[in-house]
Amino acid sequence: MDLKQRLQNHLTEIVRDRDPFLSTAGHFFVRQYLHAQLSQWGKVEIHEFQIRGQTFQNLILNLPCLEQSSKRKSPPILIGAHYDTVPGTPGADDNATGVAVLLELAKAFATQPAKYPIQLVAFDLEEYGFTGKDGIAVGSGASAYADLLRQQQQPLRLMISLEMLGYCDPTPGSQRYPSPLERFYPNRGDFIALIGNLSIVPDLIHLSRNIRQVGVPSEWLPVPNRGRIVPQTRLSDHAPFWDRGYRAMMVTDTAMLRNPHYHKPSDRIETLNLDFLTGVCQGLIQGIHQLR
């Protein structure tokens, strides 16, 4: 079975109402599906956290690096995607696409290890996170996990957030931007965007180049000051890692700046471009393998 078909199979299972408070059956089903899929490649750890008096779970799979015998212990690359949705949407692009790619990255790096250890995390409650008065992202599975890593003084080579990867529209004028970015980037929504803090510009360039090599247009954007100048750049699970001093990026099709089905009941599989999604996945696998 080829990569495109496997991604479609994952989407078929994941795309359903799965709001953690109002669609608890769908939410539970998807969490169990992700646990079963990740468990094929190793022991899945469960990170529990409490929000609104309820307990929620991030699912974590750690994969070893290529050089297990290396004397120098390399910090891991953390790759995450959220599996919850807002009420009333089956969340095909947001964020079944990110989770489907996460599952295929697990398969890829379990069967062919990368140069760095890989930690894959399915985050819960991304849609319920918010930024506090101090500008720090809180209230989500990613912020709870970033807090834990910071308390443990766990370094990361890089954090990559997979946030909506499958909507593509080559029509002129289909891509919008927060001003003044429209002056510098294409007006067609046919590319994948990589958005990261200034310290990872070489990684942004490297991964963008690898995605282009597999035939998917890619643009990259470095943002200073934890993205607070352009708030739209903070809208995913990388923001809590920025706030806690980690090197992190978001890989995205730009969400509401392109996709008219964002947070709507119409966010369904048939609106996605699976060739585009497959290319993004291939480019990430290739690029992460070659990270220095």
Side-chain angles (χ1 to χ4, degrees), residues 10 14 33-34 37-38 41 98-108 120:
H10 293 317
I14 298 166
Y33 177 76
L34 299 181
Q37 291 295 311
L38 293 172
W41 314 113
V99 177
V101 168
L102 186 78
L103 295 178
E104 285 305 309
L105 295 184
K107 173 181 169 60
L120 300 129

Side-chain angles (χ1 to χ4, degrees), residues 214-230:
V214 301
V216 173
S218 178
E219 301 290 336
W220 56 276
L221 172 68
V223 292
N225 195 24
R226 310 196 318 257
R228 296 171 75 178
I229 297 171
V230 185

Side-chain angles (χ1 to χ4, degrees), residues 56-159:
F56 298 92
Q57 295 181 350
N58 297 322
L59 307 180
I60 303 160
L61 174 66
N62 288 293
L63 297 174
C65 61
L66 186 62
E67 301 282 346
Q68 271 294 71
S69 60
S70 174
K71 294 179 181 178
R72 184 177 68 88
K73 186 176 181 182
S74 300
I77 296 172
L78 191 163
I79 308 170
H82 75 87
Y83 62 92
D84 61 314
T85 61
V86 296
T89 173
D93 196 25
D94 186 15
N95 185 35
T97 52
V99 177
V101 168
L102 186 78
L103 295 178
E104 285 305 309
L105 295 184
K107 173 181 169 60
F109 296 122
T111 54
Q112 187 177 352
K115 297 174 186 174
Y116 292 87
I118 301 291
Q119 183 174 95
L120 300 129
V121 187
F123 289 118
D124 202 359
L125 258 64
E126 186 269 354
E127 301 289 2
Y128 287 86
F130 63 96
T131 299
K133 292 181 180 179
D134 56 1
I136 302 296
V138 294
S140 68
S143 59
Y145 192 59
D147 280 339
L148 176 65
L149 294 184
R150 177 52 66 207
Q151 290 164 12
Q152 295 175 341
Q153 298 184 326
Q154 168 65 58
L156 295 176
R157 164 64 179 83
L158 178 66
M159 187 276 175

Side-chain angles (χ1 to χ4, degrees), residues 22-44:
L22 300 179
S23 301
T24 53
H27 182 262
F28 177 80
F29 175 90
V30 169
R31 189 175 69 211
Q32 293 301 105
Y33 177 76
L34 299 181
H35 192 285
Q37 291 295 311
L38 293 172
S39 293
Q40 298 177 79
W41 314 113
K43 178 177 172 54
V44 175

Side-chain angles (χ1 to χ4, degrees), residues 86 88-94 164 166-169 176 255-272:
V86 296
T89 173
D93 196 25
D94 186 15
M164 304 182 62
Y167 190 84
C168 176
D169 186 351
R176 294 178 294 115
M256 80 291 285
L257 297 174
R258 174 189 308 177
N259 189 341
H261 309 288
Y262 177 74
H263 283 187
K264 294 180 180 178
S266 55
D267 184 10
R268 300 186 175 278
I269 293 177
E270 52 267 28
T271 67
L272 303 177

Side-chain angles (χ1 to χ4, degrees), residues 82 126 142 161-163 232-240 250:
H82 75 87
E126 186 269 354
S161 173
L162 308 175
E163 177 64 57
Q232 293 91 335
T233 64
R234 290 180 51 84
L235 297 179
S236 192
D237 291 318
H238 62 294
M250 170 173 58

